[in-house]
Amino acid sequence: MDRLLNWLDRRTGYRRIIEYALYENIPGGARWRYIWGSTLVFCLSVQFITGLFLWMSYSPSSQTAWESVYYIQNEMTCGWLLRGIHHFTASVMNVLLVLHLMQVVIDGAYKAPREINFWFGLGLLLLVLALSLTGYLLPWDQKGYWATKVATNIMAIAPVVGPALQRLVIGGADYGHHTLTRFFALHAGVLPACVVALLVWHIFLFRRHGITAKDPKRKPDEYFWPDQVLNDAVACLAVLAAVLFLVLRPWLFHTGEDLGAELAAPADPSETYSAARPEWYFLCWA
Amino acid sequence: MGLRPDVPDDSSLLLKQFFYLSVILNAGPAGQYSLTDMETHDVPQQPARRNFIKKTCAVFVGAVTGLVPAISGLIVFLDPLRRKSQDGDAVLVASLSSLPADGVPRKFSVIASHTDAWNRMPHVPVGAVYLRRIGDEQVQAFNVICPHAGCFVDYDLSNKSYHCPCHNSSFALDGRIADPKSPSPRGLDELDVDLRNGNEIWVKFQNFRAGDKEKIPA
């Protein structure tokens, strides 16, 4: 086994990379207050994994989007669980983003020389919000349809470029196939690519400057592995438990709702929908 | 380190930045450099036993956390394995009078209701059949799909046989393999035919698994 690993190491240098990843210095030792960034990376990984699997059964057109989401939700084995995890992880992620931002502000991690990384962080925050907004439409149900209509009409009010921007985003004058294909390309292609690019720089700059240690230091310095990794893993488990709780809530409390994420009636421009609201984390803007 | 040169200490900041990034990405020239200029600190080590428990817990908790979303996705991914093909009802395909009396086959589209995963569609083409008379009141029907690899089989009028353009399987008029060199493992798939009201040809349309000696519904 050792010989095989040595062979691999000579060709890939993987030991150095693992060493670099795990033996980061944590001034003052592992602390629970350093977990937020890791929980967000975890959430993002969950969204990538569940999103890819959802992609395999999703069909972005106004004739098939709702039908395929209904099929995932009600016909496929554990489809409700997969969709529920994706939906509620998005919600939990928005809470964690705020907590991460609060920690950065409280600990002064935005100060020199970490300003650029702070800007990258703000960019990532906006990208995650954009992912939430674009994902909301994809089931093509009444809720997503009317909420997105309001959002894109607000966009059209923007001076000078507003109407043109709205047409570009919804793919013409009316909502339909082209709106879905564009939103899907944004949600599953453009935005994730931007997130990955920014996140690589975010983590790179984080490692360059190191963690913003909280004074006074309570313990001697430690490596990231194993103490902080254990803290981070437990925090991610707690995040997952919260997501699973939200997914299973109707079953736990016998509320009579569908397990997992809600799927409203199919989008219908001729039917009124009284609750044309965005997801809860956008309500402060609406 | 072997042949890999270390990054010189006086390398420019930009070069170092690129180097660090390429290490993170595990791509580009990272493999050519060592990480010896990374900041390392001597950190006091904890007792090995305590470390072992922590490491085991970290790996276990991390694995459980990562596996839940991955497994839920995998179960959904594997869902098509438990889906069965639709058992087609008999479909009205043609009238008896539209078939030549001399037994030359004719191709007809099969138009039926079709459930395609999440969409149900009435009256769409679901396949095609060759029909031929084998008597005044008898009709033979074959699925046009080659049992070898699933290509669309042509009818060759000059040779009075069916021919698959993909791998040269050839079938006689009665559907049996005509040429022993044909790669097809079985003859054309015959379908059940029902003559109703004197002139209506109803066919129970089905697809079968390609590449198998036996005729197994797909």
Side-chain angles (χ1 to χ4, degrees), chain A residues 16 20 42 53 56 64 67-68 71 75 77 200 204 208 221-223 225-227 233, chain B residues 13 20-21 35 38 41 43 46 51 54-55 58 61 65 73 76-77 79 82-83 118-119:
Chain A
R16 285 276 171 186
Y20 176 65
F42 167 68
F53 281 115
M56 292 180 197
T64 55
E67 288 78 358
S68 62
Y71 188 78
E75 298 284 332
T77 322
V200 165
F204 161 66
R208 180 178 167 76
D221 289 7
E222 284 173 354
Y223 287 132
W225 169 257
D227 291 52
Chain B
L13 186 65
Y20 286 131
L21 179 66
L35 292 166
M38 290 287 173
H41 300 260
V43 171
Q46 292 177 351
N51 251 348
K54 278 188 179 171
K55 284 177 186 175
V61 175
T65 313
V76 177
F77 171 72
D79 178 82
R82 69 181 189 93
R83 305 267 157 200
W118 42 82
N119 282 132

mmCIF file of all heavy atoms in Angstrom, chain A residues 16 20 42 53 56 64 67-68 71 75 77 200 204 208 221-223 225-227 233, chain B residues 13 20-21 35 38 41 43 46 51 54-55 58 61 65 73 76-77 79 82-83 118-119:
data_model
loop_
_atom_site.group_PDB
_atom_site.id
_atom_site.type_symbol
_atom_site.label_atom_id
_atom_site.label_comp_id
_atom_site.label_asym_id
_atom_site.label_seq_id
_atom_site.Cartn_x
_atom_site.Cartn_y
_atom_site.Cartn_z
ATOM 1 N N ARG A 16 1.444 16.672 -0.332
ATOM 2 C CA ARG A 16 1.684 18.093 -0.044
ATOM 3 C C ARG A 16 0.381 18.880 -0.041
ATOM 4 O O ARG A 16 0.195 19.795 0.747
ATOM 5 C CB ARG A 16 2.620 18.685 -1.101
ATOM 6 C CG ARG A 16 4.046 18.261 -0.934
ATOM 7 C CD ARG A 16 4.700 19.165 0.084
ATOM 8 N NE ARG A 16 6.009 18.670 0.433
ATOM 9 C CZ ARG A 16 6.765 19.182 1.373
ATOM 10 N NH1 ARG A 16 6.328 20.200 2.079
ATOM 11 N NH2 ARG A 16 7.955 18.703 1.624
ATOM 12 N N TYR A 20 -1.192 20.781 2.950
ATOM 13 C CA TYR A 20 -1.513 22.209 2.872
ATOM 14 C C TYR A 20 -2.947 22.463 3.325
ATOM 15 O O TYR A 20 -3.241 23.433 4.020
ATOM 16 C CB TYR A 20 -1.320 22.695 1.427
ATOM 17 C CG TYR A 20 -1.726 24.126 1.216
ATOM 18 C CD1 TYR A 20 -1.030 25.164 1.845
ATOM 19 C CD2 TYR A 20 -2.813 24.457 0.399
ATOM 20 C CE1 TYR A 20 -1.411 26.485 1.659
ATOM 21 C CE2 TYR A 20 -3.186 25.759 0.213
ATOM 22 C CZ TYR A 20 -2.486 26.778 0.837
ATOM 23 O OH TYR A 20 -2.857 28.082 0.672
ATOM 24 N N PHE A 42 -20.024 23.760 2.758
ATOM 25 C CA PHE A 42 -20.811 22.511 2.809
ATOM 26 C C PHE A 42 -22.152 22.690 2.096
ATOM 27 O O PHE A 42 -22.544 21.866 1.264
ATOM 28 C CB PHE A 42 -21.022 22.104 4.272
ATOM 29 C CG PHE A 42 -22.054 21.026 4.449
ATOM 30 C CD1 PHE A 42 -21.821 19.740 3.982
ATOM 31 C CD2 PHE A 42 -23.269 21.301 5.055
ATOM 32 C CE1 PHE A 42 -22.777 18.748 4.132
ATOM 33 C CE2 PHE A 42 -24.234 20.321 5.203
ATOM 34 C CZ PHE A 42 -23.986 19.034 4.736
ATOM 35 N N PHE A 53 -28.320 16.143 -9.537
ATOM 36 C CA PHE A 53 -29.270 15.031 -9.619
ATOM 37 C C PHE A 53 -30.660 15.520 -10.037
ATOM 38 O O PHE A 53 -31.357 14.834 -10.785
ATOM 39 C CB PHE A 53 -29.338 14.286 -8.285
ATOM 40 C CG PHE A 53 -28.182 13.339 -8.082
ATOM 41 C CD1 PHE A 53 -27.258 13.549 -7.079
ATOM 42 C CD2 PHE A 53 -28.005 12.249 -8.909
ATOM 43 C CE1 PHE A 53 -26.190 12.682 -6.891
ATOM 44 C CE2 PHE A 53 -26.941 11.374 -8.741
ATOM 45 C CZ PHE A 53 -26.027 11.591 -7.722
ATOM 46 N N MET A 56 -31.021 15.976 -13.766
ATOM 47 C CA MET A 56 -31.205 14.774 -14.583
ATOM 48 C C MET A 56 -32.679 14.473 -14.840
ATOM 49 O O MET A 56 -33.006 13.653 -15.701
ATOM 50 C CB MET A 56 -30.558 13.573 -13.882
ATOM 51 C CG MET A 56 -29.056 13.683 -13.825
ATOM 52 S SD MET A 56 -28.354 12.264 -13.008
ATOM 53 C CE MET A 56 -26.737 12.891 -12.622
ATOM 54 N N THR A 64 -43.298 21.549 -19.880
ATOM 55 C CA THR A 64 -42.789 20.357 -19.182
ATOM 56 C C THR A 64 -42.162 20.634 -17.812
ATOM 57 O O THR A 64 -41.945 19.697 -17.058
ATOM 58 C CB THR A 64 -41.707 19.662 -20.038
ATOM 59 O OG1 THR A 64 -40.685 20.623 -20.343
ATOM 60 C CG2 THR A 64 -42.272 19.116 -21.325
ATOM 61 N N GLU A 67 -44.458 19.757 -14.878
ATOM 62 C CA GLU A 67 -44.722 18.324 -14.954
ATOM 63 C C GLU A 67 -43.506 17.524 -14.474
ATOM 64 O O GLU A 67 -43.644 16.534 -13.750
ATOM 65 C CB GLU A 67 -45.079 17.922 -16.388
ATOM 66 C CG GLU A 67 -46.458 18.375 -16.848
ATOM 67 C CD GLU A 67 -46.535 19.851 -17.232
ATOM 68 O OE1 GLU A 67 -45.520 20.565 -17.110
ATOM 69 O OE2 GLU A 67 -47.617 20.297 -17.658
ATOM 70 N N SER A 68 -42.310 17.947 -14.897
ATOM 71 C CA SER A 68 -41.121 17.194 -14.488
ATOM 72 C C SER A 68 -40.847 17.364 -12.999
ATOM 73 O O SER A 68 -40.412 16.429 -12.335
ATOM 74 C CB SER A 68 -39.904 17.580 -15.330
ATOM 75 O OG SER A 68 -39.585 18.932 -15.164
ATOM 76 N N TYR A 71 -43.208 15.192 -11.227
ATOM 77 C CA TYR A 71 -42.730 13.811 -11.371
ATOM 78 C C TYR A 71 -41.633 13.519 -10.352
ATOM 79 O O TYR A 71 -41.649 12.479 -9.691
ATOM 80 C CB TYR A 71 -42.206 13.635 -12.803
ATOM 81 C CG TYR A 71 -41.838 12.234 -13.195
ATOM 82 C CD1 TYR A 71 -42.821 11.312 -13.538
ATOM 83 C CD2 TYR A 71 -40.511 11.835 -13.254
ATOM 84 C CE1 TYR A 71 -42.483 10.029 -13.933
ATOM 85 C CE2 TYR A 71 -40.168 10.546 -13.638
ATOM 86 C CZ TYR A 71 -41.148 9.649 -13.978
ATOM 87 O OH TYR A 71 -40.813 8.377 -14.365
ATOM 88 N N GLU A 75 -43.448 11.069 -8.066
ATOM 89 C CA GLU A 75 -43.336 9.776 -8.732
ATOM 90 C C GLU A 75 -42.000 9.089 -8.471
ATOM 91 O O GLU A 75 -41.941 7.870 -8.365
ATOM 92 C CB GLU A 75 -43.495 9.942 -10.260
ATOM 93 C CG GLU A 75 -44.842 10.488 -10.691
ATOM 94 C CD GLU A 75 -45.952 9.455 -10.629
ATOM 95 O OE1 GLU A 75 -45.661 8.266 -10.779
ATOM 96 O OE2 GLU A 75 -47.107 9.840 -10.376
ATOM 97 N N THR A 77 -38.589 7.758 -6.664
ATOM 98 C CA THR A 77 -38.242 7.304 -5.314
ATOM 99 C C THR A 77 -37.383 8.370 -4.628
ATOM 100 O O THR A 77 -36.335 8.752 -5.144
ATOM 101 C CB THR A 77 -37.419 5.992 -5.400
ATOM 102 O OG1 THR A 77 -37.941 5.204 -6.448
ATOM 103 C CG2 THR A 77 -37.422 5.251 -4.085
ATOM 104 N N VAL A 200 -12.956 30.174 -5.158
ATOM 105 C CA VAL A 200 -11.544 29.787 -5.204
ATOM 106 C C VAL A 200 -10.679 30.953 -4.727
ATOM 107 O O VAL A 200 -9.785 30.792 -3.881
ATOM 108 C CB VAL A 200 -11.149 29.353 -6.634
ATOM 109 C CG1 VAL A 200 -9.644 29.299 -6.795
ATOM 110 C CG2 VAL A 200 -11.758 28.000 -6.960
ATOM 111 N N PHE A 204 -8.552 31.139 -1.340
ATOM 112 C CA PHE A 204 -7.120 31.402 -1.535
ATOM 113 C C PHE A 204 -6.665 32.604 -0.697
ATOM 114 O O PHE A 204 -5.653 32.555 0.006
ATOM 115 C CB PHE A 204 -6.846 31.641 -3.018
ATOM 116 C CG PHE A 204 -5.550 32.351 -3.286
ATOM 117 C CD1 PHE A 204 -4.343 31.743 -3.005
ATOM 118 C CD2 PHE A 204 -5.542 33.637 -3.796
ATOM 119 C CE1 PHE A 204 -3.143 32.397 -3.229
ATOM 120 C CE2 PHE A 204 -4.353 34.301 -4.032
ATOM 121 C CZ PHE A 204 -3.147 33.681 -3.746
ATOM 122 N N ARG A 208 -4.196 32.877 2.489
ATOM 123 C CA ARG A 208 -3.031 33.767 2.383
ATOM 124 C C ARG A 208 -2.876 34.602 3.658
ATOM 125 O O ARG A 208 -1.776 34.769 4.179
ATOM 126 C CB ARG A 208 -3.214 34.678 1.170
ATOM 127 C CG ARG A 208 -2.083 35.641 0.958
ATOM 128 C CD ARG A 208 -2.312 36.481 -0.285
ATOM 129 N NE ARG A 208 -1.387 37.584 -0.300
ATOM 130 C CZ ARG A 208 -0.108 37.477 -0.609
ATOM 131 N NH1 ARG A 208 0.382 36.302 -0.932
ATOM 132 N NH2 ARG A 208 0.688 38.534 -0.574
ATOM 133 N N ASP A 221 -1.502 27.592 19.745
ATOM 134 C CA ASP A 221 -1.889 27.375 18.339
ATOM 135 C C ASP A 221 -2.129 25.890 18.069
ATOM 136 O O ASP A 221 -1.508 25.028 18.684
ATOM 137 C CB ASP A 221 -0.779 27.868 17.398
ATOM 138 C CG ASP A 221 -0.704 29.387 17.388
ATOM 139 O OD1 ASP A 221 -1.412 30.016 18.211
ATOM 140 O OD2 ASP A 221 0.059 29.930 16.577
ATOM 141 N N GLU A 222 -3.028 25.632 17.115
ATOM 142 C CA GLU A 222 -3.268 24.250 16.686
ATOM 143 C C GLU A 222 -3.334 24.234 15.166
ATOM 144 O O GLU A 222 -3.510 25.270 14.540
ATOM 145 C CB GLU A 222 -4.621 23.752 17.227
ATOM 146 C CG GLU A 222 -4.640 23.396 18.681
ATOM 147 C CD GLU A 222 -6.044 23.072 19.187
ATOM 148 O OE1 GLU A 222 -7.028 23.235 18.430
ATOM 149 O OE2 GLU A 222 -6.142 22.682 20.346
ATOM 150 N N TYR A 223 -3.247 23.017 14.634
ATOM 151 C CA TYR A 223 -3.506 22.888 13.203
ATOM 152 C C TYR A 223 -5.009 22.790 12.981
ATOM 153 O O TYR A 223 -5.762 22.449 13.883
ATOM 154 C CB TYR A 223 -2.827 21.626 12.648
ATOM 155 C CG TYR A 223 -1.330 21.732 12.532
ATOM 156 C CD1 TYR A 223 -0.507 20.725 13.018
ATOM 157 C CD2 TYR A 223 -0.739 22.833 11.921
ATOM 158 C CE1 TYR A 223 0.867 20.807 12.902
ATOM 159 C CE2 TYR A 223 0.629 22.924 11.802
ATOM 160 C CZ TYR A 223 1.438 21.906 12.290
ATOM 161 O OH TYR A 223 2.772 22.004 12.172
ATOM 162 N N TRP A 225 -6.450 20.501 11.292
ATOM 163 C CA TRP A 225 -6.761 19.084 11.517
ATOM 164 C C TRP A 225 -6.138 18.616 12.813
ATOM 165 O O TRP A 225 -4.975 18.911 13.030
ATOM 166 C CB TRP A 225 -6.242 18.265 10.327
ATOM 167 C CG TRP A 225 -6.245 16.790 10.485
ATOM 168 C CD1 TRP A 225 -5.175 15.974 10.757
ATOM 169 C CD2 TRP A 225 -7.361 15.915 10.364
ATOM 170 N NE1 TRP A 225 -5.548 14.683 10.815
ATOM 171 C CE2 TRP A 225 -6.889 14.604 10.582
ATOM 172 C CE3 TRP A 225 -8.727 16.115 10.122
ATOM 173 C CZ2 TRP A 225 -7.720 13.495 10.546
ATOM 174 C CZ3 TRP A 225 -9.545 15.010 10.081
ATOM 175 C CH2 TRP A 225 -9.045 13.708 10.288
ATOM 176 N N PRO A 226 -6.840 17.924 13.708
ATOM 177 C CA PRO A 226 -8.214 17.464 13.559
ATOM 178 C C PRO A 226 -9.254 18.342 14.297
ATOM 179 O O PRO A 226 -10.434 18.212 14.017
ATOM 180 C CB PRO A 226 -8.174 16.085 14.191
ATOM 181 C CG PRO A 226 -7.167 16.213 15.290
ATOM 182 C CD PRO A 226 -6.159 17.237 14.830
ATOM 183 N N ASP A 227 -8.796 19.179 15.256
ATOM 184 C CA ASP A 227 -9.781 19.835 16.144
ATOM 185 C C ASP A 227 -10.779 20.707 15.390
ATOM 186 O O ASP A 227 -11.993 20.592 15.568
ATOM 187 C CB ASP A 227 -9.053 20.664 17.200
ATOM 188 C CG ASP A 227 -8.312 19.781 18.188
ATOM 189 O OD1 ASP A 227 -7.537 18.912 17.710
ATOM 190 O OD2 ASP A 227 -8.508 19.921 19.395
ATOM 191 N N ALA A 233 -17.128 19.762 11.033
ATOM 192 C CA ALA A 233 -17.951 18.605 10.630
ATOM 193 C C ALA A 233 -19.213 18.540 11.482
ATOM 194 O O ALA A 233 -20.310 18.295 10.958
ATOM 195 C CB ALA A 233 -17.145 17.319 10.758
ATOM 196 N N LEU B 13 5.527 38.424 -6.052
ATOM 197 C CA LEU B 13 4.261 38.187 -5.359
ATOM 198 C C LEU B 13 3.242 37.554 -6.294
ATOM 199 O O LEU B 13 2.534 36.625 -5.940
ATOM 200 C CB LEU B 13 3.735 39.526 -4.817
ATOM 201 C CG LEU B 13 2.492 39.433 -3.950
ATOM 202 C CD1 LEU B 13 2.782 38.670 -2.666
ATOM 203 C CD2 LEU B 13 1.996 40.831 -3.613
ATOM 204 N N TYR B 20 0.097 29.525 -5.472
ATOM 205 C CA TYR B 20 -0.824 29.088 -4.416
ATOM 206 C C TYR B 20 -2.150 28.656 -5.010
ATOM 207 O O TYR B 20 -2.720 27.629 -4.655
ATOM 208 C CB TYR B 20 -1.088 30.227 -3.410
ATOM 209 C CG TYR B 20 0.063 30.511 -2.483
ATOM 210 C CD1 TYR B 20 0.520 31.810 -2.301
ATOM 211 C CD2 TYR B 20 0.677 29.480 -1.767
ATOM 212 C CE1 TYR B 20 1.569 32.079 -1.442
ATOM 213 C CE2 TYR B 20 1.718 29.749 -0.909
ATOM 214 C CZ TYR B 20 2.175 31.049 -0.739
ATOM 215 O OH TYR B 20 3.190 31.306 0.099
ATOM 216 N N LEU B 21 -2.663 29.452 -5.952
ATOM 217 C CA LEU B 21 -3.957 29.160 -6.557
ATOM 218 C C LEU B 21 -3.903 27.830 -7.311
ATOM 219 O O LEU B 21 -4.796 26.993 -7.202
ATOM 220 C CB LEU B 21 -4.363 30.286 -7.508
ATOM 221 C CG LEU B 21 -5.691 30.050 -8.213
ATOM 222 C CD1 LEU B 21 -6.816 30.066 -7.196
ATOM 223 C CD2 LEU B 21 -5.932 31.076 -9.282
ATOM 224 N N LEU B 35 5.749 22.709 -2.074
ATOM 225 C CA LEU B 35 5.043 23.671 -1.237
ATOM 226 C C LEU B 35 5.929 24.125 -0.082
ATOM 227 O O LEU B 35 5.453 24.549 0.953
ATOM 228 C CB LEU B 35 3.767 23.032 -0.687
ATOM 229 C CG LEU B 35 2.716 22.750 -1.737
ATOM 230 C CD1 LEU B 35 1.651 21.836 -1.176
ATOM 231 C CD2 LEU B 35 2.088 24.047 -2.202
ATOM 232 N N MET B 38 5.432 27.407 1.723
ATOM 233 C CA MET B 38 4.206 27.702 2.451
ATOM 234 C C MET B 38 4.552 28.030 3.895
ATOM 235 O O MET B 38 5.486 27.466 4.453
ATOM 236 C CB MET B 38 3.292 26.465 2.471
ATOM 237 C CG MET B 38 2.720 26.141 1.148
ATOM 238 S SD MET B 38 1.486 27.335 0.755
ATOM 239 C CE MET B 38 1.126 26.854 -0.907
ATOM 240 N N HIS B 41 4.020 26.349 10.694
ATOM 241 C CA HIS B 41 4.292 26.716 12.089
ATOM 242 C C HIS B 41 4.486 25.444 12.886
ATOM 243 O O HIS B 41 3.829 24.436 12.619
ATOM 244 C CB HIS B 41 3.121 27.503 12.683
ATOM 245 C CG HIS B 41 2.838 28.776 11.953
ATOM 246 N ND1 HIS B 41 3.261 29.992 12.395
ATOM 247 C CD2 HIS B 41 2.191 29.001 10.782
ATOM 248 C CE1 HIS B 41 2.863 30.925 11.530
ATOM 249 N NE2 HIS B 41 2.223 30.335 10.544
ATOM 250 N N VAL B 43 3.483 23.532 15.740
ATOM 251 C CA VAL B 43 2.347 23.564 16.654
ATOM 252 C C VAL B 43 2.509 22.429 17.645
ATOM 253 O O VAL B 43 2.798 21.302 17.242
ATOM 254 C CB VAL B 43 1.034 23.415 15.852
ATOM 255 C CG1 VAL B 43 -0.132 23.219 16.787
ATOM 256 C CG2 VAL B 43 0.829 24.633 14.979
ATOM 257 N N GLN B 46 -1.035 17.311 20.404
ATOM 258 C CA GLN B 46 -1.777 16.760 21.523
ATOM 259 C C GLN B 46 -1.436 15.280 21.675
ATOM 260 O O GLN B 46 -0.893 14.684 20.754
ATOM 261 C CB GLN B 46 -3.272 16.923 21.254
ATOM 262 C CG GLN B 46 -3.678 18.360 21.286
ATOM 263 C CD GLN B 46 -5.149 18.533 20.956
ATOM 264 O OE1 GLN B 46 -5.804 17.595 20.558
ATOM 265 N NE2 GLN B 46 -5.631 19.726 21.149
ATOM 266 N N ASN B 51 -5.936 12.582 19.962
ATOM 267 C CA ASN B 51 -5.977 12.958 18.549
ATOM 268 C C ASN B 51 -6.673 11.892 17.716
ATOM 269 O O ASN B 51 -7.436 12.207 16.819
ATOM 270 C CB ASN B 51 -4.549 13.141 18.027
ATOM 271 C CG ASN B 51 -4.259 14.600 17.782
ATOM 272 O OD1 ASN B 51 -5.158 15.427 17.790
ATOM 273 N ND2 ASN B 51 -3.000 14.918 17.577
ATOM 274 N N LYS B 54 -10.403 12.109 18.056
ATOM 275 C CA LYS B 54 -10.912 13.289 17.346
ATOM 276 C C LYS B 54 -10.896 13.065 15.829
ATOM 277 O O LYS B 54 -11.837 13.424 15.127
ATOM 278 C CB LYS B 54 -10.055 14.507 17.682
ATOM 279 C CG LYS B 54 -10.442 15.136 18.998
ATOM 280 C CD LYS B 54 -9.704 16.414 19.168
ATOM 281 C CE LYS B 54 -10.099 17.075 20.480
ATOM 282 N NZ LYS B 54 -9.265 18.219 20.790
ATOM 283 N N LYS B 55 -9.811 12.482 15.361
ATOM 284 C CA LYS B 55 -9.692 12.253 13.911
ATOM 285 C C LYS B 55 -10.778 11.283 13.445
ATOM 286 O O LYS B 55 -11.421 11.500 12.419
ATOM 287 C CB LYS B 55 -8.306 11.683 13.576
ATOM 288 C CG LYS B 55 -7.206 12.732 13.601
ATOM 289 C CD LYS B 55 -5.861 12.109 13.349
ATOM 290 C CE LYS B 55 -4.755 13.139 13.515
ATOM 291 N NZ LYS B 55 -3.416 12.572 13.398
ATOM 292 N N ALA B 58 -14.065 13.079 13.419
ATOM 293 C CA ALA B 58 -14.140 14.058 12.326
ATOM 294 C C ALA B 58 -14.429 13.358 11.005
ATOM 295 O O ALA B 58 -15.288 13.793 10.227
ATOM 296 C CB ALA B 58 -12.846 14.852 12.236
ATOM 297 N N VAL B 61 -18.155 11.843 11.193
ATOM 298 C CA VAL B 61 -19.199 12.881 11.081
ATOM 299 C C VAL B 61 -19.177 13.491 9.679
ATOM 300 O O VAL B 61 -20.218 13.698 9.052
ATOM 301 C CB VAL B 61 -19.005 13.967 12.167
ATOM 302 C CG1 VAL B 61 -19.998 15.110 11.972
ATOM 303 C CG2 VAL B 61 -19.168 13.370 13.547
ATOM 304 N N THR B 65 -22.276 13.325 7.004
ATOM 305 C CA THR B 65 -22.826 14.595 6.523
ATOM 306 C C THR B 65 -22.795 14.672 4.998
ATOM 307 O O THR B 65 -23.738 15.134 4.372
ATOM 308 C CB THR B 65 -22.021 15.764 7.124
ATOM 309 O OG1 THR B 65 -21.863 15.522 8.510
ATOM 310 C CG2 THR B 65 -22.704 17.079 6.917
ATOM 311 N N GLY B 73 -29.590 11.742 -3.704
ATOM 312 C CA GLY B 73 -29.506 11.981 -5.148
ATOM 313 C C GLY B 73 -29.365 10.683 -5.917
ATOM 314 O O GLY B 73 -29.991 10.478 -6.959
ATOM 315 N N VAL B 76 -32.623 8.761 -6.339
ATOM 316 C CA VAL B 76 -33.455 9.348 -7.393
ATOM 317 C C VAL B 76 -32.878 8.993 -8.766
ATOM 318 O O VAL B 76 -33.611 8.661 -9.700
ATOM 319 C CB VAL B 76 -33.556 10.878 -7.220
ATOM 320 C CG1 VAL B 76 -34.355 11.497 -8.349
ATOM 321 C CG2 VAL B 76 -34.200 11.212 -5.879
ATOM 322 N N PHE B 77 -31.561 9.026 -8.852
ATOM 323 C CA PHE B 77 -30.887 8.703 -10.111
ATOM 324 C C PHE B 77 -31.207 7.271 -10.554
ATOM 325 O O PHE B 77 -31.372 6.998 -11.749
ATOM 326 C CB PHE B 77 -29.375 8.887 -9.923
ATOM 327 C CG PHE B 77 -28.550 8.382 -11.059
ATOM 328 C CD1 PHE B 77 -28.530 9.046 -12.274
ATOM 329 C CD2 PHE B 77 -27.787 7.227 -10.933
ATOM 330 C CE1 PHE B 77 -27.765 8.581 -13.332
ATOM 331 C CE2 PHE B 77 -27.023 6.754 -11.978
ATOM 332 C CZ PHE B 77 -27.014 7.429 -13.184
ATOM 333 N N ASP B 79 -33.888 5.591 -9.916
ATOM 334 C CA ASP B 79 -35.332 5.372 -10.046
ATOM 335 C C ASP B 79 -35.740 4.697 -11.369
ATOM 336 O O ASP B 79 -36.598 3.805 -11.359
ATOM 337 C CB ASP B 79 -36.072 6.709 -9.881
ATOM 338 C CG ASP B 79 -37.550 6.571 -10.050
ATOM 339 O OD1 ASP B 79 -38.216 6.184 -9.080
ATOM 340 O OD2 ASP B 79 -38.052 6.817 -11.171
ATOM 341 N N ARG B 82 -36.543 0.844 -11.736
ATOM 342 C CA ARG B 82 -37.769 0.155 -11.313
ATOM 343 C C ARG B 82 -38.953 0.461 -12.241
ATOM 344 O O ARG B 82 -40.065 0.021 -12.004
ATOM 345 C CB ARG B 82 -38.108 0.491 -9.863
ATOM 346 C CG ARG B 82 -38.540 1.903 -9.636
ATOM 347 C CD ARG B 82 -38.837 2.183 -8.177
ATOM 348 N NE ARG B 82 -39.449 3.492 -8.045
ATOM 349 C CZ ARG B 82 -40.752 3.705 -8.032
ATOM 350 N NH1 ARG B 82 -41.581 2.701 -8.146
ATOM 351 N NH2 ARG B 82 -41.221 4.925 -7.921
ATOM 352 N N ARG B 83 -38.698 1.212 -13.306
ATOM 353 C CA ARG B 83 -39.783 1.530 -14.267
ATOM 354 C C ARG B 83 -39.917 0.413 -15.294
ATOM 355 O O ARG B 83 -38.912 -0.086 -15.797
ATOM 356 C CB ARG B 83 -39.479 2.836 -15.004
ATOM 357 C CG ARG B 83 -39.223 4.005 -14.111
ATOM 358 C CD ARG B 83 -40.474 4.798 -13.844
ATOM 359 N NE ARG B 83 -40.303 5.537 -12.601
ATOM 360 C CZ ARG B 83 -41.286 6.016 -11.892
ATOM 361 N NH1 ARG B 83 -42.531 5.822 -12.286
ATOM 362 N NH2 ARG B 83 -41.062 6.671 -10.777
ATOM 363 N N TRP B 118 -42.902 12.404 -17.618
ATOM 364 C CA TRP B 118 -43.841 13.300 -16.954
ATOM 365 C C TRP B 118 -44.911 13.879 -17.885
ATOM 366 O O TRP B 118 -45.729 14.663 -17.452
ATOM 367 C CB TRP B 118 -43.091 14.454 -16.277
ATOM 368 C CG TRP B 118 -41.975 15.007 -17.110
ATOM 369 C CD1 TRP B 118 -42.071 15.897 -18.116
ATOM 370 C CD2 TRP B 118 -40.589 14.690 -16.983
ATOM 371 N NE1 TRP B 118 -40.842 16.154 -18.646
ATOM 372 C CE2 TRP B 118 -39.913 15.430 -17.960
ATOM 373 C CE3 TRP B 118 -39.865 13.845 -16.135
ATOM 374 C CZ2 TRP B 118 -38.517 15.359 -18.114
ATOM 375 C CZ3 TRP B 118 -38.493 13.782 -16.293
ATOM 376 C CH2 TRP B 118 -37.844 14.532 -17.271
ATOM 377 N N ASN B 119 -44.890 13.505 -19.159
ATOM 378 C CA ASN B 119 -45.914 14.021 -20.079
ATOM 379 C C ASN B 119 -46.746 12.879 -20.657
ATOM 380 O O ASN B 119 -46.192 11.855 -21.067
ATOM 381 C CB ASN B 119 -45.261 14.781 -21.244
ATOM 382 C CG ASN B 119 -44.815 16.172 -20.850
ATOM 383 O OD1 ASN B 119 -43.711 16.583 -21.129
ATOM 384 N ND2 ASN B 119 -45.687 16.912 -20.176
#
